Amino acid sequence: SSMIVRTLERHRLAPEALELELTETAAMNDASHSRQLFGDLRALGVSVAIDDFGAGYSSLSYLKNLPFSKLKIDREFITQVDERRDSRAICHALIELCRGLEITVLAEGVETRDEVETLRNLGCTMFQGFYFAKPMPSEEFRRTVVDPEWLALLASPVHREIAQLEQRVRG
């Protein structure tokens, strides 16, 4: 955590502006060390997220005993959540569990509007995935997030379907 403090000071960042992600497997590899590290980071004001939840150990005791602020549901449970009853049940349980524990939940790997809508109906409000955009350089990201056409595509399934059709036709 001292390296984090030095980095924050060097770059003049408020601790609240930083969120560190650890995969579930890495965080659970040494649970007692992770508990101490997460506690120190949270005390500084740094947010800690567990990435790929559900792909590793997935013990509920980790949810109770590790002080983190965001859980990212692994893509395995997100893919076709709109069609798969088992994935919906798992996502619903995780979303409700996080709500009860006051942990933010994020669905990662979202690729379709139907997945977004299904997860939204289950109570998820944070998403990441190719449905919104593919990875891009920071300068392109800055231009994209203020582009009214991109925002319209994101908000409207009709606009998005038309754009996808046009892209397929172009090749």
Side-chain angles (χ1 to χ4, degrees), residues 13-127:
L13 285 173
E16 298 78 26
L18 180 63
E19 178 176 274
L20 298 176
E21 289 186 13
L22 284 93
T23 63
E24 174 192 358
T25 304
M28 306 323 170
N29 197 27
D30 184 348
S32 63
H33 179 259
S34 294
R35 185 174 18 265
Q36 179 66 46
L37 178 62
F38 287 13
D40 292 349
L41 292 170
R42 297 271 317 262
L44 288 173
V46 173
S47 179
V48 179
I50 299 293
D51 193 20
D52 298 335
F53 188 82
Y57 299 106
S58 301
S59 171
L60 294 180
S61 68
Y62 296 130
L63 294 179
K64 181 179 174 192
N65 294 315
L66 288 178
F68 61 94
S69 51
K70 183 184 288 175
L71 181 139
K72 296 175 71 175
I73 302 174
D74 187 69
R75 184 177 184 283
E76 175 184 345
F77 304 110
I78 302 305
T79 302
Q80 296 179 326
V81 69
D82 53 307
E83 298 173 11
R84 296 188 50 125
R85 187 177 49 81
D86 55 348
S87 290
R88 263 192 316 282
I90 290 167
C91 288
H92 184 255
L94 288 173
I95 292 164
E96 288 300 314
L97 186 59
C98 286
R99 182 179 292 140
L101 295 172
E102 297 180 350
I103 298 170
T104 302
V105 65
L106 180 143
E108 63 179 350
V110 177
E111 293 188 1
T112 69
R113 179 140 191 117
D114 289 337
E115 290 169 352
V116 171
E117 290 302 319
T118 299
L119 291 160
R120 230 175 53 170
N121 289 335
L122 293 175
C124 186
T125 59
M126 294 186 76
F127 306 91

